[in-house]
Amino acid sequence: MSEPHRVKVVAAPPALAIETSGLTKRYRRVTALSECSMVVPEGRICALIGPNGAGKTTLLRMLAGLAAPTAGTASVLGGTPRQDPAFLADIGFLAQEMPLYRRMSAADHIKIGAHLNSRWDGESARARLLGLDIPLGRAVGTLSGGQRAQVALALTLAKKPRVLLLDEPVAALDPLARRHFLGTLTSAVAETDGALTVVLSSHLIADIERVCDYLILLTRSQVQLAGDIEDLLAEHKVLIGPKKDTGALAATHTVVHTTTTARQSTLLVRVGGPLIDPAYEAADISLEELVLGYMGASAAPAYAGLTTVAEG
Amino acid sequence: MSWLVWRQYRAQGAIALALLAGFGAVLIVTGAQMASQWHSGLASCAASGTCAKLAQTLSLGSPLGRDFVLLSNLVPALLGFLWGAPLVAGEVEAGTRAYAWTQGISRTRWLLVKAGWLLLAAAAWGGAVTALTTWWYGPRNALYASAFQPNTFDTQGIVTVGYSVFALALGVAAGALTRRTLPAIAITIGGFIGMRLLISEVVRQHYLTAVTAFYNPLQAFAPPGPAWTLQQGVMDKYGQVFTGGNGPEVNGVPFSALPANCQKFIMIDPGTMTKTSLHAAVTCMQASGFRGFVTYQPASRWWAFQGIETGIFLALAAALIAAALVVVRRRDA
């Protein structure tokens, strides 16, 4: 589906690996994801951040074709997620619990993958696991959590996916295993030379900072913030100043979140122009402050558009 | 995909083969024993000219052996809950569906290949069991002419193949629907036993219209060969059927239902009834239009019934697999 308004842009817009529009998933009474519209450009490593229950898993499962949306559309590599070998060949999906057949070995899984996938690089999976000293012949149920995660990741990468969807892959791992897992992931992404798009859900901001260059913040089953992490950090400032009316400030800038003490206010603002009020002291923002500021923002979503460059 | 099925089920397949071997060993030993009893019985009755009464004088094997063979009725249900119920439900419970259903094959193919191989295995296993029991029953069928009786009909011929395939398909469908192995096992066992009882007790006798033969109530009569007798009794000239009951009776007809002119031949106290008076009463009954009748399925229909029953269970299995396919495709993983 082409979008006419993009024709006006002079520089070619980045191709989109993932695009959702009004994507909604309702279970009997619970709305797991509400009107989610977002894009992930091709070749990005995108962090999907949000508190538990924000809808991260639901979103990823719909993108992988495991669940069907109640409303809205999703497009992954230009196609609707579906139970179709041609679509599934391009998708690597890793569920949070790293499901594998516990009584089978990594070598068995590599062989299974060869039978189930038209495009399969079992050799690289084998080499990757041997490089990590993970026994290929042992039942995966007897491996440590970190080793099992590495096996699951290696198997997912062996599919040679163009979009990799990882649901909380490091949540259950200890810090060292987490570091190793993310190391494997970044080196695999580097090998593909921009052909692989990754969406990684997590609530651990430190890990994301190390690996990701794109961010989607999901809270209360809605997208609060999305964009290139560097751009987002550049566009936001922390202002510290006296406790006073912020009306004038809000005319040019978007005040995302305000914390006040007896004497001063700390404002998280999205900068919309030059900062001229000398009463405020402006400081750069860390990713953690940014994420927590948006998560804590009680106001209506400050974020409305799809890309950060479209604003201002 | 087939390799995955082989890898997932090879251990269970080996167990199934071992069970089959054990079952086969018992059947071959007891079956060979019965066959030699049968042959020596035939030889001695031919020498003494008593072969007509062989069924009364010869007893084959032991009741224990027969009960053991009746156990083969449970074999299909076993397949249903050991292999069928966890086929989808097990993958849901272990979370592995998220792995299996994001590989480069459709869920349709995943289910069809997996269920297809297991259905074939179930058919082969059921076939092997029934080949053993059918051979085992050979001398008994010849001696007791009971191959059409409900218990023995169900444990030989080709019906076991149909039962096995049905039980497995039922397990698969129940597992796909409930997504949990234990409830699926309960549904499989309950559904299998329920359907088997419904078919054997209610439906089977209607596969083909039963034959009714009438005979002189003075004579004993049995349908030829190992027929399946559905009803036997005496009918008066208006078509009312008497099959015996409580109280004094003649050939199943209560005294009170006898015509007045026949009642005089017998005393009210049956203890004093003589053979002569009974004969006179029955002759009188025949003169008043009473007839003996027997409704039965002729022995020649045995294979037709095996075929129809197998067909019914295979069709049920096909419907269940189709239902499982719809559920697996439509529902979110």
Side-chain angles (χ1 to χ4, degrees), chain B residues 85-272:
Chain B
L87 190 136
V88 177
E91 302 251 359
V92 172
E93 284 172 330
T96 42
R97 68 190 154 150
Y99 165 80
W101 296 352
T102 50
Q103 302 297 307
I105 57 161
S106 67
R107 286 185 214 172
T108 308
R109 188 155 160 248
W110 178 84
L111 184 64
L112 284 182
V113 174
K114 207 168 160 181
W117 279 115
L118 290 187
L119 288 169
L120 265 182
W125 211 54
V129 167
T130 195
L132 282 165
T133 54
T134 304
W135 168 79
W136 188 88
Y137 267 113
R140 300 182 74 96
N141 288 343
L143 182 62
Y144 303 126
S146 62
F148 222 144
Q149 300 312 307
N151 266 334
T152 47
F153 180 88
D154 296 3
T155 42
Q156 54 185 315
I158 54 172
V159 285
T160 311
V161 175
Y163 301 154
S164 303
V165 169
F166 166 74
L168 187 87
L170 180 62
V172 173
L177 206 65
T178 61
R179 302 186 145 208
R180 285 182 302 150
T181 304
L182 274 179
I185 287 175
I187 292 174
T188 307
I189 296 176
F192 178 75
I193 292 174
M195 186 55 74
R196 286 273 283 103
L197 283 177
L198 177 73
I199 296 280
S200 71
E201 300 297 315
V202 181
V203 183
R204 184 186 295 156
Q205 52 184 291
H206 301 297
Y207 290 167
L208 294 170
T209 310
V211 173
T212 300
F214 293 97
Y215 58 93
N216 180 344
L218 283 173
Q219 292 161 357
F221 177 81
W228 181 21
T229 298
L230 302 175
Q231 199 183 26
Q232 186 156 21
V234 173
M235 199 184 276
D236 69 13
K237 63 181 169 188
Y238 308 109
Q240 193 181 347
V241 166
F242 303 96
T243 54
N246 300 324
E249 56 180 45
V250 177
N251 279 14
V253 183
F255 282 7
S256 57
L258 290 175
N261 60 324
C262 297
Q263 280 185 357
K264 67 182 181 206
F265 292 105
I266 40 178
M267 312 295 177
I268 290 306
D269 180 9
T272 65

Side-chain angles (χ1 to χ4, degrees), chain A residues 52-131:
Chain A
N52 291 329
K56 303 188 295 283
T57 299
T58 304
L59 175 58
L60 290 175
R61 280 161 44 81
M62 285 196 285
L63 294 177
L66 284 173
T70 315
T73 57
S75 162
V76 178
L77 297 167
T80 307
R82 61 199 180 277
Q83 307 165 22
D84 167 49
F87 173 81
L88 292 170
D90 285 332
I91 306 298
F93 177 76
L94 195 47
Q96 187 170 358
E97 59 272 28
M98 309 273 169
L100 294 171
Y101 297 106
R102 299 182 66 85
R103 275 186 229 131
M104 297 188 201
S105 66
D108 286 332
H109 280 88
I110 291 173
K111 205 165 165 190
I112 290 169
H115 285 276
L116 298 187
N117 296 286
S118 51
R119 196 165 68 210
W120 182 255
D121 186 1
E123 213 30 68
S124 77
R126 200 168 282 119
R128 190 166 274 135
L129 295 177
L130 284 175

